[in-house]
Structure formats: C-alpha cells, structure tokens
Amino acid sequence: MTKQVQQLDRVIIRFAGDSGDGMQLTGDRFTAGTAEFGNDLSTLPNFPAEIRAPAGTLPGVSSFQLHFADHDILTPGDAPNVLVAMNPAALKANLGDLPKGADIIANTDEFTKRNLQKVGYDSNPLEDDSLSEWRVHAVPLTSLTVKALEDFDLSKKDAERSKNMFALGLLSWLYHRPTEHTIKFLEQKFAKKPEIAKANIAAFQAGWNYGETTESFSVSYEVRPARLAPGVYRNISGNQALAYGLIAASVQSKLPLFLGSYPITPASDILHELSKHKRFGVRTFQAEDEIAGVGAALGAAFGGALGVTTTSGPGVALKAETIGLAVTTELPLIIVDVQRAGPSTGMPTKTEQTDLLMAMFGRNGESPVPVVAPMSPSDCFDAALEAARIAIKYRTPVMLLSDGYLANGSEPWRLPEVSELPDISQPFTTEPNGEDGKFLPFKRDPETLARPWAIPGTAGLEHRIGGIEKADGTGNISYDPDNHDLMVRTRAAKVAGIDVPDLVVDDPDGEAKVLVVGWGSTYGPIAAAVRRIRRSGGKVAQAHLRHLNPLPANTGEVLKRYDKVLLPEINLGQLALLLRAKFLVDVISYNRVRGLPFKAEELAGVIQDVIDSD
C-alpha cells in the first residue's frame, strides 16, 4: 500500500500517560532522533512530584511535549498537534490543551470501565462521539505490543512494559524519524539484560511496521532539517548545559571544580552529571544536608578551588547564613538555584521565577550578591561561565538563577570552539602586599575592589578568616562603627561596580512605543509573542535581562525611552518591584504563577492589549 507523504514546517507532539508508562523516556528518545535528524526543537517535560502517584489517576499523569521544526523556534509550543494518550487519565488531563482538528492516538486497551471511572468518565469517549472535533486514532497499543513479543520469554506484565517503545516506533514512522539512534540506545541501556534489549527493540520495530501497514494512518509527515548556523550540534538540557559550563569555567579559570550539594528537585541532575567527569578534575560531594553542602563549597573556595553549590528555593533558604559568610569573607562561590514552585515544598516538579527577591535580599545584614539568569537551556552553559567570571574576578558569591523549565527542557546547542571561550583566570596572591613585608588580606584592587585571594599554606600570608567584621586592610577583628560602615559600603560598591554588558534592545525600525522586558526563562515565549505581533503589523520592542544585580548601566535609559514597559514574570511582580523602585518607571506587570511557562499566544494577546490601550 502506497501512502501519501505530507510536508510540514513544524509539529508539536505530546506523549502522555501514567507515571509508570515511560513517557519521559519515550519523549527523550523521540527528541534524540529529532536532534539527530537536524530539526530545531524545544521540549517541555511535565511530571508529577509524587514518586508514584496512584496508577490511572489524574495526579499520576506524566507528559512530554516536543516542538520541532524546519526553522528557528523558541518554545515547546502552545498546543500539541498530536496527543498520544496511553490511558483515560492522560486524555482527560490534556484534552483541554488540544486544538480542534488535532490528532489523538489513544491506547484503547487501557480504556476499561474501571479506568474510565477513576477519572470521572461516565462513558468511553472513544465510542460516544464526544471527540468528534478531533481526529481520533484508536490503537490497541498494549495488546499489539504483547502480540509482537509473544516469542520472547517474558511474562505478559513484562511485555506490556514495552508499549511505550511500540508507541515510539509508530510515531517515528509517522514523522520519518531515524531509528538507529534508538536501537543503539536500547542495546546500551539493557546491555546486561540482552533479552530485555531485544524485546524493546522488537516492540519499537513493531510500532514502526504497524504504521507502515495499517490503514489507520494513510498519511505520514516530513519536517525537513532546519537551517542552523554552521557547526557541530548536540541536543542538551539546561542542567546538562549548566554542568558543562561549570566544567568549562574550571578549565578556563585553571581552578579545580568542587561541588558541594544535597539532592533536590529540579537541581539534582547537575550533581549527577558532574559526578561523571572526574577526569576533568571535578570533585563532587553529596552532603548530608543543604548547609553542609554550601559550607564544604565555601571551604573549597578558601582552599583555592572553584566552589559551587546547587539547590532549589528551599535549599537557598537553608544556605543563607553561609552565603552571608561568603559575602563577608569575600571569597568566590557560585550558588545555583534551579527555581521551582513554592512556598515550602510547593510543587517540586513545576517551574517558577519566584526566588529573585530572595536571591537579592534573603540574608541578614547588608549582603549584596551578583545575580545572573540564563534565558534558555543552552544558555545555561554561558551563564555558568559568566557567573564564574564574576565570582573569581570580584571575589564574591554569585547567585545563578535557572528554573525547572530550563533545567528539564532541551534544545540544539552548537558546541563552542575552545578558542571562543574566555580566559577567566585570576592569579592567587603569593607575596606580601603591605609595608615591611606584611600581608593585608583586605587591601583592595583599585579597579575591582576585590581583596587578595591567598590560599592556606602560602608562607607569609597567614590571615584571619570568619564571619566577624574585619578591619579594612589588615583584616583584624573590628567593632569600630566607622570601619563597619566603610566595609558595608565597600562590599556594596564592589557588587555595584561589576562590569556587565549594556542592555540590548531589539527594535527593528525604532518606532515602537511599547517595550517588553523579561528575564530568565521567559525569553522564549516573549520572543515568540513579539514575532507574532510584528508579523501582524504591530510595532513592539524587546529587551531581556541576564544580569539582575547589578543591572546593566543603560537599563534606566532604555526603560524611559518607551511610552509603556510590559514585564511578564512567573511570579507576582518581583523584578517589576525592583525596576519601579530603582528607576521610577511605571512598569506594567503581567503575572501568572501556574507552575508552567507562558504561552506565546497568551503573551501576544497581552502585548496587543498594551499597544491598543492608548
């Protein structure tokens, strides 16, 4: 049977099922094949916080959305063109996001009376015409998988576990994805269990063959490779990119990397990734708690290493005292906060931008720290390098604010040439710097206000260290009021004087009256929304802040250049509060705190409303 092949410029697919259905693995494998094929892509994994929510229930639904295209894209997409629903719960939880006319591939084997009742269906939606506005493909994924594996020495339950590979094979056929990468992955993943590897490969190939032979799918689709800048690319998640950025910072600073960390969602993958790279001089320490993790990292910095600690919002709260210690001892330290929904435990697997004010002010005393925020998964690499540059050059702790959306999301990343990476090394102090051969641990560089970095054991450079206020220059313990005032102001001036690039404005013809400002992970949805407005003839400017403390020197001038400034944030207006206070600009806040990234269509509507509000 000859089947029609239709060309598409982009597709958004969402795999959804129970937490035990392997949707994250399925999405990850489809993404790997898509990256290998050469499409531009962006992903949005979405999974429950519970280790194992009740099977077949709405709280237990796990999903993975992938947007891939033959052109540059910025987000995982607003709404899926295809929903793969492994059970009734997956259908019900995701149907509201599905536009009319989209495809639903439903695993009919799981639409039993019991499973339907679990999620409140009175009748089977695959049979009662309630899905008539969508194109429904009813496929018995489970039983087809069991049939395909009947020659293997597997129980029925074990065979059923491979249904996600059958679904992956079907979708790989439907969108002409390469198969070699997935087969090789399965061989490696189950190398110690060759029978399981063969079964999963057989299920994957059976799904492909089903698509090729069934009459349920008369059309397959092609999305050509995207035209990307020349170079070597790989698919990368935000946490991976951040880990690699820290390794690169270690190499470029000529300092050994030490990570002191306590596992916490969604930052744990940074610890996992860095633990694989001992050959680069990386040392990872899984501490007994958050406080021990940051204490060890600060101790490593004192000893001459690039000290890093990774965590999420609850961990930052626990680390606050030691971060303050790093401020007053003026040692380089990187604190990675992969933000998640709070307060308290909140929604650990969902994303937010709600730790900005804590990063700025969440310590006792006047204890300013620089704050850097990446804007995309691959940008986490560059942001890590920049955080290390600032920490080392200015002898200060630096907060790096990623979030769950960036950490778990992925996109193509062009591997940089080593020659492109900046040299961020700074020499240790090895000789006395005062009169009569004395060492003055708080005698400052006149340009950066950084104090000397003298590692323990250097002869003649013995000095006091600790949290009690030190005298300017000598570093002796001091309770002098004027000295304290001087030291507080000097530490603040050091942070305020950090060299950061000017804020760049994207305003093609210079005629826009509305400026949309963002920070962190809102870059993609904002940029996609701005594209939509411009395509419809609207005029709007965009600027995105990577450096949040200190802000770029031209920030005030940029904000005052426009009649209206719109600031979307996944919080209740934290950066807007800071910009209003510092620049007296009446920033228009748009805030949503749903544990999800913004949608481009949503922001385009908000931008258009601001443009039309004159």
Side-chain angles (χ1 to χ4, degrees):
M1 179 174 58
T2 302
K3 296 193 175 186
Q4 179 185 354
V5 177
Q6 183 176 335
Q7 297 290 333
L8 299 175
D9 64 345
R10 67 186 186 95
V11 175
I12 304 169
I13 298 175
R14 184 180 296 176
F15 297 93
D18 194 65
S19 292
D21 287 337
M23 293 297 92
Q24 302 305 317
L25 176 63
T26 305
D28 183 67
R29 289 301 93 209
F30 194 91
T31 299
T34 298
E36 180 187 11
F37 187 74
N39 296 121
D40 195 15
L41 63 90
S42 180
T43 67
L44 178 62
N46 191 359
F47 41 87
E50 291 81 2
I51 293 174
R52 188 66 176 92
T57 64
L58 292 174
V61 173
S62 176
S63 68
F64 189 105
Q65 183 163 306
L66 167 68
H67 182 191
F68 61 102
D70 65 3
H71 57 276
D72 174 45
I73 57 175
L74 296 163
T75 74
D78 288 352
N81 308 115
V82 182
L83 171 66
V84 179
M86 301 299 282
N87 60 19
L91 176 65
K92 189 163 191 176
N94 293 281
L95 190 62
D97 294 336
L98 209 61
K100 309 303 181 185
D103 288 288
I104 299 173
I105 300 174
N107 180 15
T108 56
D109 290 322
E110 295 298 320
F111 281 71
T112 63
K113 183 177 181 180
R114 183 169 181 267
N115 285 345
L116 292 166
Q117 290 175 343
K118 280 184 182 180
V119 293
Y121 278 125
D122 295 326
S123 60
N124 190 338
L126 303 181
E127 301 172 351
D128 64 9
D129 207 36
S130 62
L131 301 178
S132 60
E133 294 178 298
W134 294 274
R135 294 184 296 184
V136 179
H137 305 271
V139 182
L141 294 172
T142 304
S143 55
L144 286 172
T145 303
V146 172
K147 178 68 175 176
L149 302 183
E150 60 185 3
D151 292 335
F152 289 83
D153 185 20
L154 296 173
S155 67
K156 183 174 181 292
K157 184 176 181 180
D158 286 340
E160 288 177 353
R161 289 175 178 166
S162 297
K163 62 181 180 290
N164 63 325
M165 288 298 105
F166 188 99
L168 177 60
L170 172 58
L171 269 292
S172 296
W173 171 83
L174 191 60
Y175 291 98
H176 294 236
R177 301 295 90 184
T179 61
E180 296 81 6
H181 192 282
T182 295
I183 293 173
K184 184 177 179 181
F185 167 81
L186 291 170
E187 288 173 341
Q188 292 175 344
K189 181 176 177 63
F190 299 107
K192 295 181 179 180
K193 298 179 180 179
E195 189 72 7
I196 299 296
K198 291 177 183 178
N200 277 280
I201 292 169
F204 174 73
Q205 293 172 331
W208 176 282
N209 294 334
Y210 178 81
E212 183 72 24
T213 57
T214 184
E215 296 182 3
S216 300
F217 297 92
S218 59
V219 179
S220 65
Y221 304 92
E222 280 188 350
V223 181
R224 292 193 175 99
R227 294 182 179 179
L228 302 173
V232 178
Y233 285 80
R234 60 154 292 171
N235 185 50
I236 199 165
S237 70
N239 275 347
Q240 280 181 312
L242 205 152
Y244 294 164
L246 292 172
I247 296 171
S250 172
V251 173
Q252 296 303 106
S253 65
K254 303 178 178 62
L255 298 173
L257 176 62
F258 178 89
L259 175 69
S261 183
Y262 181 74
I264 184 172
T265 302
S268 299
D269 282 341
I270 303 172
L271 170 62
H272 301 158
E273 185 63 41
L274 286 177
S275 68
K276 302 174 184 176
H277 300 289
K278 294 179 182 179
R279 66 187 182 280
F280 292 112
V282 178
R283 295 293 178 266
T284 53
F285 168 55
Q286 181 174 318
E288 65 268 29
D289 56 40
E290 296 282 4
I291 299 171
V294 68
L298 183 57
F302 177 55
L306 179 59
V308 182
T309 189
T310 53
T311 188
S312 190
V316 176
L318 293 167
K319 296 178 190 290
E321 183 179 2
T322 306
I323 298 171
L325 178 61
V327 170
T328 195
T329 56
E330 300 188 49
L331 288 167
L333 176 69
I334 300 172
I335 306 100
V336 177
D337 177 3
V338 186
Q339 300 166 95
R340 72 188 205 189
S344 186
T345 306
M347 299 192 296
T349 59
K350 312 302 178 184
T351 194
E352 274 184 13
Q353 290 184 300
T354 44
D355 292 350
L356 175 57
L357 293 182
M358 179 167 66
M360 290 286 293
F361 308 116
R363 293 162 296 283
N364 66 296
E366 294 286 349
S367 50
V369 300
V371 181
V372 178
M375 64 183 186
S376 70
S378 62
D379 188 50
C380 289
F381 177 89
D382 297 308
L385 262 172
E386 175 65 358
R389 178 192 74 86
I390 293 172
I392 294 166
K393 182 176 180 179
Y394 293 90
R395 314 286 196 271
T396 178
V398 178
M399 293 287 296
L400 178 55
L401 290 182
S402 178
D403 62 36
Y405 170 46
L406 298 182
N408 296 318
S410 61
E411 64 181 357
W413 174 53
R414 186 183 74 84
L415 274 65
E417 298 292 336
V418 174
S419 59
E420 298 174 357
L421 301 178
D423 181 355
I424 60 173
S425 60
Q426 293 284 327
F428 294 121
T429 299
T430 57
E431 300 290 338
N433 59 355
E435 297 178 358
D436 303 324
K438 293 182 179 179
F439 175 55
L440 302 177
F442 284 89
K443 182 179 180 180
R444 300 179 182 279
D445 181 298
E447 179 182 346
T448 65
L449 298 181
R451 77 174 187 88
W453 191 3
I455 61 174
T458 306
L461 304 188
E462 296 85 359
H463 60 285
R464 291 182 181 273
I465 201 77
I468 297 179
E469 186 64 278
K470 304 297 186 295
D472 182 41
T474 67
N476 295 328
I477 290 175
S478 174
Y479 289 94
D480 179 73
D482 291 335
N483 176 79
H484 179 56
D485 184 83
L486 172 64
M487 295 294 275
V488 166
R489 293 178 186 275
T490 302
R491 289 189 290 262
K494 180 176 68 171
V495 172
I498 291 171
D499 61 309
V500 301
D502 278 350
L503 181 60
V504 176
V505 181
D506 175 20
D507 188 358
D509 55 18
E511 297 179 3
K513 295 184 178 180
V514 173
L515 171 69
V516 186
V517 177
W519 70 275
S521 64
T522 58
Y523 171 78
I526 290 174
V530 166
R531 283 182 182 179
R532 295 188 184 199
I533 295 297
R534 290 175 180 168
R535 281 198 298 265
S536 65
K539 297 183 184 298
V540 61
Q542 180 189 1
H544 203 76
L545 288 161
R546 167 185 275 184
H547 295 88
L548 300 167
N549 192 36
L551 291 163
N554 68 331
T555 302
E557 181 271 325
V558 168
L559 296 178
K560 293 174 181 177
R561 193 189 308 167
Y562 294 88
D563 294 348
K564 296 176 182 177
V565 177
L566 173 65
L567 175 51
E569 296 182 78
I570 309 177
N571 58 44
L572 296 183
Q574 296 189 12
L575 180 58
L577 177 71
L578 298 177
L579 296 184
R580 289 182 187 124
K582 188 172 180 65
F583 302 110
L584 302 180
V585 172
D586 188 17
V587 175
I588 302 169
S589 280
Y590 180 73
N591 310 110
R592 290 291 184 272
V593 194
R594 300 171 293 184
L596 296 169
F598 286 119
K599 293 183 177 180
E601 181 180 14
E602 169 190 7
L603 291 184
V606 174
I607 295 170
Q608 192 62 55
D609 288 344
V610 173
I611 293 173
D612 296 340
S613 62
D614 286 333

